[in-house]
Amino acid sequence: MYREGEKPWKIVGNSQDLYSHGRLCTRGTGGLGAYLDENRLKVPLIRTQKRGKQVFQEVSWQTALDFIAEKMELIRKKYGAHSLALFSHGIGGTWFKTLVKAYGSRNITAPSYAQCRGPREEAFKLTFGRGLGSPENTDIENTRCLVLIGSHIGENLHNGQVQEFAKAQERGATIITVDPRFSVAASKSKYWLPIRPSTDLALLLSWMHVLIYDELYDKKYVEKYTIGFQELKKFVKKFTPEWAYPITSLEPNLIRQTAREMAKHAPSVLVHPSRHTTWYGDDTQRCRAVAILNALLGSWGRKGGFYFPRKAHVPKYPIPKFPKPLKTWRDYLAPGQFPFASLPPANLLRDLSLPKEGKPAPIQGWLVYATNLPLTLPQPEKTYQALQNLELVVAVDILPTAITGWADVVLPECTYLERYDDLRISPGREAQVALRMPAFPPKYQSKPGWWIAKMLAKKLGLEKYFPWRDIEEYLDYRLKKIGSSLKEMKRIGVKTLPSNSPLYLPEEGDFSFPRPSGKIELYCKDLAAFGFDPLPSYTPHPEPPEGYFRLLYGRTPAHTFSRTINNPLLHELMPENEVWIHPQVARRFGIRKGEYVRLKNLDGVVSLPVKVKITERIRPDSVFMAHGFGQMQKQLTRAYGKGANDNGLMSRVAVDPIMGGTGFRVNFVTLERRSS
Ligand SMILES: Nc1nc2c(c(=O)[nH]1)N[C@H]1C(S)=C(S)[C@@H](COP(=O)(O)OP(=O)(O)OC[C@H]3O[C@@H](n4cnc5c(=O)[nH]c(N)nc54)[C@H](O)[C@@H]3O)O[C@H]1N2
Ligand SMILES: Nc1nc2c(c(=O)[nH]1)N[C@H]1C(S)=C(S)[C@@H](COP(=O)(O)OP(=O)(O)OC[C@H]3O[C@@H](n4cnc5c(=O)[nH]c(N)nc54)[C@H](O)[C@@H]3O)O[C@H]1N2
Ligand SMILES: [Mo]
């Protein structure tokens, strides 16, 4: 803990923490910059002019919270409590979820579902009976063959995974990377498959064909644990590598070789399920294909494939039952719409905030916690429309960002270095509990999320849902239930609880998978019952028109989405993004190295100028850039106007009919030179 007068110097990891082993990534170390950032929100603000105009008045916490509580009461009376939605991302959202449930709404969403992991979670649940969760139960550490499909570990810095990836590589594990871009992971791979974007499902089907018809699959495993193999075998018969070649642009030989390589190492092989999986609208089906491929290789529940994670059970602090909401997002779905959505898609709640046919919209108020919706939800013009129609928009943030610019009330949270959050109880190889505690007192007038939610609850007469005196009492209560205490956790940070639940399938005896059949379902009756393909079919996606390129995007090691671009330490590492273009494209447009161009999409949306990176590491039919840049808040003195915003160009989406995810990779752009 910080002592008065001391200067913050460095963030270090906790060696007992399985997620970091004491080693932090760039962004973890750079976290100090979030605390130091002089552009931070400092006091509560209330808008004094029409929404969209950024004219705010500084107010006291009392005034800000009174204003919100009054508006929430008004919404409850006029439209019903269910017409308030919460958008949140990350663990800090816990308190606001409690608040909103207590108030009477279950319209609670996060972009980490329908803009990220949703399709994968539903696909794996439909196949194996459980999703991957976060962090994923991938046994990279022990794998002998790792297949990465549009998952660029190394640039996507999920700390634990990157460390395991490095270990696997050192051990000489074979890495196969399928990516239209020569990613960092591709550079460490034995095989790089520069696939034509949007055709992965064809590759997956032809890999299955090779495994089955060359009899390379795990027969014992398939027989014992799966159902639907005969249907699958018949289904993939025609999907030969020769069939896949013109679709994917990958040579048949390469497809056969890589299938054999996987089979050689099975079951210690991991076809990584990827994380950001909302690509082309048929994403649940593509992820089903990944799941099925893993089942053929016998990797689920096997060492070097997928382990069964352990999770600590920590009793909750007792609170009364939440009231039953009058309506939820499901009541607004058409029959058969998104039948497998287990959470509300954020885009759905956004769209439900738009008035239709002169009637008031079902959603009338937004509480937004730690998510920058204009840069996060595709089709931003719809987000702006919704924002103009709401009765109330509250943003709880640490910076003056795109979303706070649209809020009626802006509440400055303190950074994660200045507050307690709820306990981290996530799955892993061991059952661990971790504490986040303040290293410094909150700067300015910022306050922790738990305090904000508790105070609001009090003003709304909902204090019984926050019955603890303060966060320390809350945490201590929970920790004592597992034989620890806040005092102990403040000292050790992370605690491993005893757990001997098996990490892998038993060698002998039966095992029942949590599916209706008790087996891994290669053929999915549940999907068929709703009119979806029970086995994943390949359907072609539109190709870019002449002179246009598919817009690909992804992570970059120095930054987390849009949230770190203004961070003084991380900004220094990467102040702007670049657009990657192939030399052929550069020649055709007469573009020179380091030049700035604008990207223009098929709907005429034009980006800010962005620097060109001419490289053979990207296919000539696509361009690539890192997400999160091109921010337009002048108050963000470092991030302002630097680089281009991929989300601004996402005016089209391909919606997944199974769970409502928004496929982002269906936007095409051309390049505009400055002089032209
Ligand atoms: N176009 C496009 N859209 C995408 C993606 C993409 O690659 N391209 N990626 C998708 C994916 S995978 C995901 S998971 C989502 C992520 O979506 P978001 O979580 O919305 O990502 P950010 O843009 O980082 O927005 C985070 C916001 O939280 C604020 N913030 C940061 N720390 C704190 C804190 O401690 N407290 C509070 N109260 N606020 C804080 C930041 O200032 C920022 O305004 O985006 C999805 N959307
Ligand atoms: N540094 C850093 N790391 C992060 C994050 C961060 O913000 N910063 N965010 C975290 C989060 S929430 C997520 S969801 C993950 C996301 O990390 P990933 O799941 O790895 O996803 P993306 O970053 O979107 O990576 C996209 C990759 O897919 C490739 N690609 C594009 N189109 C296709 C295609 O049609 N087929 C194939 N096979 N590949 C294609 C792109 O070239 C790119 O290399 O990263 C996590 N890790
Ligand atoms: Mo994500």
Side-chain angles (χ1 to χ4, degrees), residues 538-557:
Y538 168 75
T539 39
H541 295 284
E543 286 294 313
E546 179 56 26
Y548 281 79
F549 309 90
R550 193 182 291 276
L551 175 60
L552 306 182
Y553 55 87
R555 319 289 150 227
T556 185

Side-chain angles (χ1 to χ4, degrees), residues 203 206-207 210 241 244 248 250-259:
L203 170 67
S206 75
W207 270 341
V210 178
T248 58
L250 302 171
E251 290 195 6
N253 245 347
L254 188 59
I255 298 180
R256 285 210 168 80
Q257 254 176 40
T258 41

Side-chain angles (χ1 to χ4, degrees), residues 11 27-40 398-399 415-417 566-570 638:
I11 300 179
R27 299 164 302 138
T29 313
L32 203 53
Y35 167 77
L36 297 171
D37 194 334
E38 75 287 2
N39 293 155
R40 274 173 61 174
I398 58 169
L399 286 170
T415 65
Y416 73 97
L417 296 168
N566 201 63
N567 175 312
L569 306 177
L570 299 175
R638 281 170 293 273

Side-chain angles (χ1 to χ4, degrees), residues 165-344:
F165 179 71
K167 272 196 208 156
Q169 215 207 333
E170 259 171 45
R171 273 191 297 100
T174 298
I175 297 161
I176 300 170
T177 296
V178 183
D179 199 310
R181 187 177 65 95
F182 189 71
S183 59
V184 171
S187 73
K188 316 271 180 217
S189 300
K190 179 163 172 188
Y191 297 97
W192 171 44
L193 280 57
I195 195 165
R196 188 194 314 281
S198 83
T199 64
D200 297 75
L201 195 36
L203 170 67
L204 289 158
L205 289 169
S206 75
W207 270 341
M208 289 182 210
H209 172 96
V210 178
L211 290 180
I212 294 177
Y213 286 92
D214 290 0
E215 303 209 8
L216 298 168
Y217 66 99
D218 188 333
K219 286 197 189 113
K220 241 173 91 187
Y221 183 97
V222 167
E223 205 168 291
K224 184 169 177 187
Y225 295 123
T226 73
I227 56 161
F229 178 72
Q230 288 311 324
E231 288 93 334
L232 176 69
K233 183 170 178 182
K234 216 166 116 201
F235 178 69
V236 300
K237 183 153 192 234
K238 58 177 182 291
F239 303 132
T240 58
E242 285 69 22
W243 166 82
Y245 177 32
I247 300 174
T248 58
S249 82
L250 302 171
E251 290 195 6
N253 245 347
L254 188 59
I255 298 180
R256 285 210 168 80
Q257 254 176 40
T258 41
R260 278 190 209 120
E261 183 87 33
M262 287 181 228
K264 189 170 97 189
H265 299 291
S268 231
V269 47
L270 174 60
V271 185
H272 196 285
S274 190
R275 186 174 175 97
H276 174 67
T277 45
T278 43
W279 301 358
Y280 300 105
D282 56 355
D283 304 304
T284 307
Q285 292 289 12
R286 187 190 65 255
C287 295
R288 272 262 303 149
V290 172
I292 295 170
L293 188 65
N294 276 298
L296 289 176
L297 292 161
S299 64
W300 186 262
R302 307 290 278 282
K303 192 165 180 181
F306 297 82
Y307 63 84
F308 298 133
R310 293 167 172 164
K311 193 172 173 188
H313 171 69
V314 186
K316 292 195 161 75
Y317 197 107
I319 54 170
K321 233 176 125 180
F322 293 120
K324 195 169 176 284
L326 229 50
K327 278 187 179 180
T328 73
W329 57 282
R330 286 191 199 276
D331 297 311
Y332 297 104
L333 293 177
Q337 196 184 5
F338 314 146
F340 294 94
S342 55
L343 293 169

Side-chain angles (χ1 to χ4, degrees), residues 95-108:
W95 320 110
F96 294 90
K97 287 180 190 164
T98 304
L99 175 73
V100 168
K101 284 186 201 161
Y103 170 77
S105 175
R106 294 293 157 84
N107 291 324
I108 297 175

